[in-house]
Structure formats: C-alpha cells, structure tokens
Amino acid sequence: MTTDLLAIFSHEKLSCLDFDDVALIDKAQRQAVAESMDEIFGRFLSAIDYQHIIVPEDAAFRKDLWAWGYSRLAKAEPDNAHLDFILETSATCMEYFYQSACHQSKMAMGTTTAAALLADSLVGKPGGLDQFNHFSQRYLRGLPQPDGLCDALAEGIKDCDEFYGSKNPRGGSFSVMGWLAGIDAFCEESSFAQKLPGQFESDVSSKRRTEWSVEKLPYYLRSLTGLPCPYIVPIFKPSHNLEVPVDSWISGVPDLSQFIWLVNDFFSFPKEVFVLENFNYFSHVTRARRQDGRISLFSSNDGLWTFRDTLYEAFDQLKSCILALDKLFLTFAKSLSDKVEAAQTQAEMNGLTKETEKTLKLDRENLENAQLVAKYWGEFKQGTIAWYINSPRYRLDSIRAIVGRQ
C-alpha cells in the first residue's frame, strides 16, 4: 500500500469510520460516513482513470426478459413491484456489463441473474433456505427441481451451459460450477445469520497477534457468493460465433474474480451503512480482525481494527487488481501489436518464407485475441463501475453528479 493512500485514510475527517459495528452508529455518524465515502470514491475513480458512461437500454432484450420473468418468476414473487425491481436490476447489469453481447447471451445471463437475485432475497426468509439447501445436489444428479423459482434457476443455468459451452465445454462448466458453488455459499452464509461459527465467538484477542484461519473465512465465502466465475465467462463470449479462446484470458481470472465481488462490496458500503446492514463481507472481516487482536493503522478508541482499516485495505486491493488487469490485458495487447508490427517489417526486409508466413499468421491470431480481450475487459471494467454509480439503489448521487459533469 502506498504512503499517499495511508495519508489519505489517516485524515481526521475519516475518523467517522472508526467503528466496528454498523448497527450501533447513529444518524449523524451515518451522514458523516456518506460524506467521507464521496471523498474516498473520488480518489478511487481518479486512481484507476475511470471514464463515466451511460449505456442505452436494449428494448428488445428488455421485452423478452420481462416476458420470461412474469412467466417463470411470478409464482415465486407475486409482488409485481419487487419483481419489476429484480428484472430492472438484471437488465441494467447485462446492458452495462456486457456491452458487446448479443441478445442470446444477454438472455442466458439475464434470466439466470434475475432468478439468482430473487433467490438471494428469499433465502433468508422463513422456508426460503429449505428449498435451496438441496438445489445443487438435485442439479448434479439430474433430479427435478421444485416447481417455481428453483426450476427457473436450474433452467437458466442450463441455458448458460449450452450457450457458453457451445464451442468450448470448459466455458459451460466454468459457468455452471460457479453458479452451483455460489448457491451453496448463499445457503451457508444465510445460516450464519442465526449463528456464526464457534471460532468467531471465542476470545483469542489477548493471545494472538498473527493471522489465523477464521480471518480467511469471509474472503472465501465472498469469493463464492460474489458469483465471479459465471460473470467472467460472458465477457469473452459475446455471441455464439465470437468467442475468445480461454488461454487468452485465463491468466486474469484471479484478479477478475476479486474485481467482480469486491467492487460490489466497495460501492455498496454507503447503502449498507444507511440501512444498518451488518451481515456482509466488510462486517465479517472487521469482526474477525478485531477478534484476532489486529491493531488499527489509525486512531481507534481501543486500538483495534475498525471499518476504516477494512475500507483502506479494500481500496488498495480493488485498485491493485484493476491496474493488474489493465497491465495484463491492455498493456499486453499494445506491446504485442508493436512486436507483431516489428516482426512483419523484419520479415518483409529479409524476404517472406513459408515458415515466416506461418509464424506471422500465428502472431496475428494471437494479437487479434489479445485485442479482443483488451476491448472486452475495458468495456466490463468501465461498465461495471458505471452501473454501480448510476444505480439509484446504491445512493451514490453525489459521485454520479460529479462524474456526470466530467
């Protein structure tokens, strides 16, 4: 982490972040947190060279998504207002995340996303957990799902498998296994709402000053519930006939995964503070670090880790993985272009042979794939962040007004 970032987070005006339980802060502090996050988000967007965009609606896609939603999800969600909210969230996600995607790709991911969003909203309600506890087992064994939401979700996952695995079966299995692991993780995380694992309750703060396993649990669960794998595959397969080979982007999967779930937690923070939501990744991390006796980098009352430390860490992790992906995809494509151009010039000077023509053809194919990966990553990065900023649910009005003027 850079000294400049530490200096920014050490400023007195961010002392409002020195708390360890969102549910215990009052209205005045919540307002102070919202104002401090405007400063943090502004710094973050500047650090990653963010350029704001507004993506137009896709009328044909929306028409088909709403028809599917009212046909397949209305039984599980009779409240039309909430169902419209679910479908609108899914629609805008597809429009912003996958700007080059064809209609079929948007529908495969859009329907599955809508079903997953509805499942996430219902799993914590009475009886909601029961219907999903055996979802993955039924799916893998080829058993029928209960009529309604489970059946619709299974149908969506199969559509993703068929579309993204149509040419390379690994693409389909990558998507399917990500969905199933995420659903199981939803269920596991939901059970924590009633009772956390015993290690979270034990008092080790006076005995330990080094990282221990329970600190890693929030990260592990979030890497599953954030559904990174299902959302990575569509980036690089925008249509049935256009698919970037897995080998061209597989190196970026670790950072892409972290980007997908951490960007959600980062930009969700003001909303969750506003509604006093304390059952999330940031809260779990803060609790685990405090329990292990982690010392705060800032001036907390008891000297232990607070939300300011968690946000500082998240800022640095998210910025680092974005810049790493820019280097891996964007910078690599540019350097490969220069290399291919130089090789072409050299070959022409020396005289083209069958062997050099074969090598140049392979180089040009690799360059084409690298340029597509760079293009799709750029769209996904800018579109994802723009979606959070533009979405009313995240209460980022101040940031939206600032970036909209730039």
Side-chain angles (χ1 to χ4, degrees):
M1 299 186 189
T2 65
T3 302
D4 288 344
L5 183 58
L6 181 61
I8 291 168
F9 272 82
S10 298
H11 199 283
E12 176 60 28
K13 63 184 176 182
L14 297 187
S15 61
C16 61
L17 298 171
D18 289 327
F19 59 89
D20 59 272
D21 189 340
V22 170
L24 300 181
I25 63 176
D26 59 24
K27 184 176 181 180
Q29 189 171 358
R30 293 202 301 274
Q31 181 60 39
V33 168
E35 293 172 0
S36 71
M37 291 306 298
D38 287 343
E39 168 74 13
I40 291 172
F41 288 146
R43 297 273 189 173
F44 175 78
L45 296 175
S46 177
I48 63 169
D49 193 28
Y50 171 74
Q51 303 296 318
H52 192 58
I53 59 173
I54 296 177
V55 179
E57 295 182 356
D58 183 336
F61 161 59
R62 284 170 169 264
K63 179 181 178 181
D64 287 351
L65 181 64
W66 257 258
W68 177 89
Y70 272 84
S71 170
R72 303 293 281 113
L73 300 181
K75 180 178 179 180
E77 182 48 87
D79 182 345
N80 288 350
H82 188 238
L83 182 55
D84 283 336
F85 169 77
I86 292 289
L87 294 171
E88 177 66 23
T89 300
S90 177
T92 52
C93 281
M94 299 307 105
E95 291 161 345
Y96 272 82
F97 294 1
Y98 310 117
Q99 297 158 49
S100 294
C102 69
H103 183 83
Q104 189 178 358
S105 178
K106 287 181 181 177
M107 282 299 295
M109 277 298 292
T111 54
T112 316
T113 294
L117 286 170
L118 184 55
D120 188 38
S121 70
L122 298 178
V123 75
K125 296 182 178 179
L129 186 60
D130 294 339
Q131 63 178 315
F132 291 102
N133 265 331
H134 300 286
F135 178 89
S136 296
Q137 184 184 63
R138 288 192 295 262
Y139 188 96
L140 292 171
R141 293 183 178 182
L143 301 175
Q145 300 284 354
D147 185 38
L149 182 54
C150 286
D151 186 48
L153 182 55
E155 177 187 279
I157 294 173
K158 289 177 183 176
D159 287 344
C160 287
D161 186 16
E162 291 176 3
F163 183 81
Y164 299 112
S166 60
K167 289 189 174 182
N168 184 347
R170 282 189 293 163
S173 60
F174 201 57
S175 175
V176 170
M177 298 314 295
W179 283 115
L180 298 182
I183 292 164
D184 284 344
F186 284 147
C187 294
E188 189 65 31
E189 188 179 58
S190 180
S191 69
F192 290 173
Q194 282 71 50
K195 182 174 177 57
L196 288 167
Q199 294 90 341
F200 267 88
E201 304 297 337
S202 62
D203 181 14
V204 298
S205 61
S206 61
K207 303 176 184 177
R208 297 290 298 275
R209 288 294 183 271
T210 58
E211 184 174 316
W212 68 313
S213 292
V214 77
E215 283 196 34
K216 301 172 185 176
L217 180 60
Y219 186 99
Y220 168 72
L221 274 180
R222 194 66 183 104
S223 71
L224 297 176
T225 61
L227 298 170
C229 291
Y231 285 88
I232 289 173
V233 176
I235 302 173
F236 305 110
K237 185 178 171 63
S239 69
H240 181 74
N241 294 321
L242 181 55
E243 177 177 350
V244 184
V246 173
D247 292 346
S248 296
W249 51 265
I250 192 69
S251 298
V253 166
D255 282 317
L256 280 168
S257 297
Q258 186 176 44
F259 170 76
I260 287 170
W261 62 261
L262 188 54
V263 74
N264 175 277
D265 293 294
F266 189 60
F267 284 105
S268 295
F269 184 67
K271 170 184 72 72
E272 293 179 344
V273 169
F274 184 83
V275 299
L276 302 180
E277 170 59 59
N278 65 351
F279 193 79
N280 50 48
Y281 173 68
F282 281 4
S283 289
H284 292 334
V285 167
T286 303
R287 180 172 184 170
R289 297 282 171 83
R290 288 178 62 81
Q291 186 177 324
D292 193 33
R294 285 291 196 98
I295 303 301
S296 174
L297 292 171
F298 311 102
S299 54
S300 64
N301 291 333
D302 57 8
L304 295 179
W305 191 278
T306 69
F307 271 85
R308 179 154 41 162
D309 297 280
T310 299
L311 281 163
Y312 169 65
E313 181 180 72
F315 184 118
D316 187 70
Q317 289 175 338
L318 187 56
K319 182 191 74 170
S320 295
C321 77
I322 290 172
L323 297 182
L325 288 165
D326 283 347
K327 182 176 181 180
L328 180 65
F329 294 149
L330 306 181
T331 305
F332 174 73
K334 177 63 171 64
S335 64
L336 187 57
S337 177
D338 294 341
K339 178 182 176 181
V340 171
E341 184 178 348
Q344 177 75 38
T345 302
Q346 187 66 39
E348 291 172 354
M349 290 175 59
N350 296 337
L352 290 173
T353 65
K354 288 185 177 181
E355 188 63 32
T356 56
E357 285 181 348
K358 182 179 179 180
T359 300
L360 285 172
K361 181 181 179 182
L362 181 61
D363 286 345
R364 284 191 289 268
E365 289 176 357
N366 290 335
L367 175 59
E368 181 180 356
N369 289 330
Q371 289 174 332
L372 285 173
V373 168
K375 175 180 184 290
Y376 296 148
W377 156 243
E379 289 179 351
F380 185 72
K381 174 184 70 173
Q382 300 289 351
T384 298
I385 296 172
W387 181 78
Y388 284 101
I389 293 173
N390 290 333
S391 177
R393 69 178 298 195
Y394 292 102
R395 303 177 181 273
L396 302 178
D397 299 1
S398 298
I399 292 298
R400 185 162 61 249
I402 292 171
V403 297
R405 294 195 297 266
Q406 295 176 347

